[in-house]
Amino acid sequence: HAARRYTLIDTAGLRRPGRVTTGVEKFSMVKTMQAIEDANVVILVLDARQDIAEQDAHIAGHVLEAGRALVVAVNKWEKLPEEERELIKRTLVRKLDFLAFARLHFISALTGHGVPAVLKSVDEAYAAAMARLATPRLTRVLAQAVTQQPPPRAGADRPKLRYAHQGGINPPRIVIHGTGLDRVPQAYRRYLERFFRNAFQLQGTPLQVEFRSGPNPYARRKASRR
């Protein structure tokens, strides 16, 4: 990017945790994990010729836990026969489904093919991680999500999702207020995450949805009228 400077930190490749035996390997792993936590955007570089999920899923999981913005780059793409590429793409999408928020690029570090697109996605992921989300629009999007698919009933009552505001950035955190929210299932939380991500175009960053239940103010009003 002509108007932006990037600081790139090249970490050592990591082996699977159960196979790390030497002091140097353990030190390398600690330094890599620290670099992930300190980064604005992580580029997870995978080798197209290896069993990607087995080798690198634990790194991806740490990126997710740290809440870092992410771009996935599959390297050495030029070495794969054409007939294998589509199969590998499908396998990647399936095995890295928990990283579906991240852009996936197929590159060749040797020739430079696909690298400019990776940097474009880095910009996009950083912007999404730092996005400021206005409370009125968040609440409108929440209302749209609930209208489209209400939360499931929990016993006799249905959880009430009343309004939302932003509780933090990098990664964006959306706080939803209402009643009975401790009974909202995880599947519905994931539905809300997808809905907010699509509405605000938050590509490349994890998104956290937090529920805060409080007393129903309408219940107090009804009681005072009796």
Side-chain angles (χ1 to χ4, degrees):
H1 195 290
R4 178 171 294 164
R5 297 181 65 183
Y6 300 84
T7 300
L8 301 179
I9 302 173
D10 183 16
T11 63
L14 295 183
R15 298 167 71 181
R16 294 175 63 187
R19 298 179 183 176
V20 174
T21 55
T22 71
V24 172
E25 287 174 334
K26 291 178 181 177
F27 177 77
S28 176
M29 176 177 289
V30 170
K31 295 296 288 184
T32 297
M33 296 307 182
Q34 287 177 346
I36 288 171
E37 292 171 8
D38 293 340
N40 292 123
V41 181
V42 174
I43 302 174
L44 179 61
V45 181
L46 307 175
D47 189 328
R49 302 173 304 170
Q50 297 184 12
D51 189 345
I52 295 165
E54 286 294 322
Q55 182 181 7
D56 296 302
H58 70 286
I59 308 175
H62 185 75
V63 173
L64 192 59
E65 288 175 9
R68 294 284 74 86
L70 176 67
V71 178
V72 180
V74 184
N75 190 28
K76 301 180 182 177
W77 195 240
E78 80 286 350
K79 297 182 181 297
L80 289 177
E82 192 67 37
E83 60 272 15
E84 289 185 24
R85 293 184 179 185
E86 194 57 39
L87 174 61
I88 288 178
K89 282 184 180 181
R90 291 197 301 269
T91 301
L92 269 172
V93 169
R94 177 173 54 84
K95 290 188 175 181
L96 297 180
D97 179 63
F98 66 103
L99 301 180
F101 65 87
R103 295 284 189 200
L104 180 62
H105 293 272
F106 299 90
I107 70 168
S108 170
L110 182 66
T111 66
H113 174 76
V115 173
V118 170
L119 290 178
K120 183 178 179 182
S121 289
V122 166
D123 288 343
E124 177 187 49
Y126 179 75
M130 299 297 181
R132 300 287 180 174
L133 312 175
T135 297
R137 190 177 172 211
L138 277 171
T139 300
R140 285 197 302 272
V141 170
L142 173 64
Q144 292 167 4
V146 171
T147 298
Q148 182 171 307
Q149 183 178 321
R153 287 187 176 275
D157 299 321
R158 190 187 300 275
K160 302 289 193 304
L161 287 69
R162 302 195 183 282
Y163 70 95
H165 68 88
Q166 186 170 10
I169 60 171
N170 196 27
R173 182 163 54 91
I174 297 173
V175 182
I176 297 174
H177 294 259
T179 56
L181 303 188
D182 55 324
R183 301 191 297 272
V184 174
Q186 281 289 30
Y188 194 77
R189 185 194 298 266
R190 290 192 295 271
Y191 159 72
L192 291 174
E193 289 175 1
R194 291 193 301 271
F195 203 95
F196 281 117
R197 183 183 302 285
N198 292 335
F200 289 93
Q201 298 181 330
L202 298 176
Q203 185 73 39
T205 181
L207 177 63
Q208 299 174 352
V209 172
E210 177 183 327
F211 294 129
R212 291 186 189 172
S213 288
N216 186 347
Y218 299 97
R220 290 198 299 270
R221 291 179 189 175
K222 291 177 181 177
S224 64
R225 291 171 184 168
R226 292 173 184 171

